[in-house]
Amino acid sequence: MGSTVDAANKGVNGTASAKKPTVIFVLGGPGSGKGTQCAYIVEHYGYTHLSAGDLLRAEIKSGSENGTMIQNMIKEGKIVPSEVTIKLLQKAIQENGNDKFLIDGFPRNEENRAAFEKVTEIEPKFVLFFDCPEEEMERRLLGRNQGREDDNIETIRKRFKVFLESSLPVIQYYEAKGKVRKIHAAKPIEDVFQEVKAVFSPEAEKSNAKYLGTVINCRGQSSCSYEPKAAAS
């Protein structure tokens, strides 16, 4: 019975770094715009963006023993165990040179959440929650015109229902711990990012000099200018 998790464990349980990475969970309903905002956060604040779904798909595509196991489970209509997804996330974190991560679309439910904290011994710094009315998310998804099979009204509404039933308890759990940063996501992209910046900039100012240069002028929490460093040889 332990073979599923054993397959995921291979090569992952190496020596962890002494300092635990900073992890931020990014949650929001389908069409809330969290993927777009993650790209902005990566660009402006130096985080690495990890998607659990992308990692599962990449593992399947790799043709590894673990990937074949995941593919077979999905084909059989089974849910991939939390430990398997978490080990892929953990491996991606350990193999990346960064120490700041956005984990997008995970945890999907309370079981995911509890398993992540138990397996990785990492508690997220906070949850970035993109709060968007269902009507707006529906409008965006139907307007994407990307030809995706799941962009039809029936499937979209099922996805909303799953999000509400599964992910909201996770948000409520972290809200009780004071760890939810709610973003009003129905606005235009740039306006949404202004809210995101208000969340990230206070902490980013402490570390941005390392990435962008020396702070030469600060007029407020999200209004600093930098003198670029010379590129490292």
Side-chain angles (χ1 to χ4, degrees), residues 4 52-61 65-81 84-85 88 108:
T4 298
D54 287 349
L55 288 172
L56 286 168
R57 285 186 284 273
E59 189 70 11
I60 291 169
K61 195 178 273 190
E65 182 184 340
N66 196 33
T68 302
M69 175 271 294
I70 293 167
Q71 186 173 37
N72 289 339
M73 292 193 76
I74 292 171
K75 275 184 183 175
E76 292 167 14
K78 295 178 181 176
I79 295 172
V80 177
V84 173
T85 306
L88 290 174
R108 289 184 176 273

Side-chain angles (χ1 to χ4, degrees), residues 84-97:
V84 173
T85 306
I86 290 162
K87 289 297 182 183
L88 290 174
L89 287 166
Q90 190 178 37
K91 185 170 185 278
I93 288 170
Q94 289 174 352
E95 292 180 350
N96 191 288

Side-chain angles (χ1 to χ4, degrees), residues 21-162:
T22 298
V23 167
I24 294 170
F25 290 149
V26 182
L27 297 176
S32 61
K34 61 187 188 320
T36 299
Q37 295 300 323
C38 279
Y40 277 38
I41 295 165
V42 167
E43 181 184 351
H44 286 77
Y45 299 111
Y47 279 75
T48 294
H49 179 203
L50 299 177
S51 160
D54 287 349
L55 288 172
L56 286 168
R57 285 186 284 273
E59 189 70 11
I60 291 169
K61 195 178 273 190
S62 76
S64 69
E65 182 184 340
N66 196 33
T68 302
M69 175 271 294
I70 293 167
Q71 186 173 37
N72 289 339
M73 292 193 76
I74 292 171
K75 275 184 183 175
E76 292 167 14
K78 295 178 181 176
I79 295 172
V80 177
S82 292
E83 289 88 347
V84 173
T85 306
I86 290 162
K87 289 297 182 183
L88 290 174
L89 287 166
Q90 190 178 37
K91 185 170 185 278
I93 288 170
Q94 289 174 352
E95 292 180 350
N96 191 288
N98 204 352
D99 62 353
K100 304 189 299 182
F101 297 88
L102 303 171
I103 298 185
D104 176 10
F106 184 93
R108 289 184 176 273
N109 53 44
E110 267 289 281
E111 196 264 336
N112 279 175
R113 177 202 65 73
F116 181 87
E117 292 191 9
K118 182 179 178 182
V119 171
T120 66
E121 298 184 345
I122 296 170
E123 191 171 321
K125 182 165 187 178
F126 58 81
V127 174
L128 193 64
F129 171 42
F130 288 92
D131 188 20
C132 193
E134 192 169 313
E135 308 77 51
E136 174 63 16
M137 290 191 287
E138 187 177 295
R139 184 189 68 76
R140 290 175 181 178
L141 291 172
L142 289 173
R144 281 199 305 207
N145 196 27
Q146 292 179 347
R148 284 177 47 168
E149 288 180 15
D150 57 354
D151 284 351
N152 62 73
I153 194 69
E154 293 82 9
T155 307
I156 286 168
R157 286 177 179 167
K158 281 180 188 172
R159 289 167 68 198
F160 289 154
K161 187 170 184 287
V162 168

